[in-house]
Amino acid sequence: MTHFELPIHWNDHEDIAMALYEKFGDEFDEAKIYRIRFTDLLEWVLSLPNFVGTREQSTEGHLEQIQAKWVYEWRDNQN
């Protein structure tokens, strides 16, 4: 039985952050996450397997929210 993953859209900030944390793990800590260039973050989001948004739909606001949620996800996994 295959595991069905729902498509991820730009406003699914928490899902994107969780996927980025799964991809990179502890390679990025809080300080490093906040220093990621938006151009890099955009490419990483677009490369996520279930992501269905487009480059044109990206906004600085989405990227800021994803960054913040990624930090929360990282913090939650430090226990």
Side-chain angles (χ1 to χ4, degrees):
M1 180 179 202
T2 55
H3 181 68
F4 179 72
E5 297 276 343
L6 292 172
I8 301 173
H9 300 271
W10 275 113
N11 54 352
D12 298 326
H13 304 134
E14 198 163 322
D15 292 333
I16 294 169
M18 288 170 63
L20 290 169
Y21 182 78
E22 286 175 18
K23 181 174 183 172
F24 293 104
D26 290 331
E27 182 180 336
F28 289 94
D29 62 14
E30 183 172 342
K32 284 185 178 177
I33 292 168
Y34 279 127
R35 286 198 306 265
I36 293 169
R37 293 190 325 237
F38 280 173
T39 51
D40 292 336
L41 184 57
L42 173 61
E43 295 306 320
W44 296 343
V45 171
L46 291 171
S47 73
L48 293 173
N50 302 319
F51 187 74
V52 296
T54 65
R55 182 180 306 275
E56 293 73 28
Q57 295 167 326
S58 169
T59 65
E60 194 171 299
H62 283 310
L63 295 171
E64 288 171 351
Q65 285 295 314
I66 291 164
Q67 228 172 12
K69 298 287 186 192
W70 188 358
V71 166
Y72 291 134
E73 187 65 24
W74 178 81
R75 285 181 190 159
D76 285 349
N77 284 280
Q78 297 312 299
N79 301 334

